[in-house]
Amino acid sequence: MLTIQRAIRRLHTALDAPRLTRFSLNAPKNVEIEFANGSKFNLSAEYLRIHSPAADGKIRSVGGEKVIFGRRHVGIMSAEPVGNYGVRIVFDDLHKTGIYSWDYFYYLGSNKFTLMRNYIKTLKKHGLSRDPQKKK
């Protein structure tokens, strides 16, 4: 049931997403975006990386959940336009397969607090950390 509610919320947000008016990459730390309705969001590299819309081989499956961890210090190297609908962000951990649509940016910005809180809860639940693993 929770999955259906999330899908409905995501669809509703996408349908209601206003037109993007500004996209600013502040590499390596964050992306600032503004929309026609006046909404402004500052999305960190870590936040964008953990919510990448792409399937990724660096995701750990823990109890059936897909969990990206250890990305607190990830940086953004570049953002490449993809048509008129989004950008491909290249991160310094070499992840570059996710295409972030303007609607998805709006969803991420509008739900930033809840999504980040849920991410931190999931990490704690599985004994994982936002910090990278220490090399031995």
Side-chain angles (χ1 to χ4, degrees), residues 33-87:
I33 50 178
E34 292 181 22
F35 291 88
N37 69 351
S39 296
K40 296 178 183 180
F41 304 113
N42 184 327
L43 306 177
S44 72
E46 176 193 19
Y47 182 70
L48 292 170
R49 176 63 180 87
I50 64 174
H51 291 292
S52 172
D56 182 16
K58 295 181 181 178
I59 298 175
R60 176 187 268 185
S61 182
V62 183
E65 281 185 278
K66 301 291 185 184
V67 183
I68 298 174
F69 62 98
R71 298 296 188 265
R72 183 189 301 264
H73 305 295
V74 73
I76 298 172
M77 292 174 36
S78 65
E80 305 161 354
V82 178
N84 291 323
Y85 62 90
V87 295

Side-chain angles (χ1 to χ4, degrees), residues 99-113:
I99 297 174
Y100 296 77
S101 70
W102 308 134
D103 291 349
Y104 189 57
F105 274 121
Y106 189 77
Y107 168 77
L108 291 175
S110 298
N111 297 286
K112 184 177 176 181
F113 178 78

Side-chain angles (χ1 to χ4, degrees), residues 15 19-20 42 53 55 68 78 88 102 104 109 112 119 122 128:
L15 292 174
R19 185 179 51 81
L20 179 86
N42 184 327
I68 298 174
S78 65
R88 175 180 292 111
W102 308 134
Y104 189 57
K112 184 177 176 181
Y119 170 67
T122 300
L128 300 170

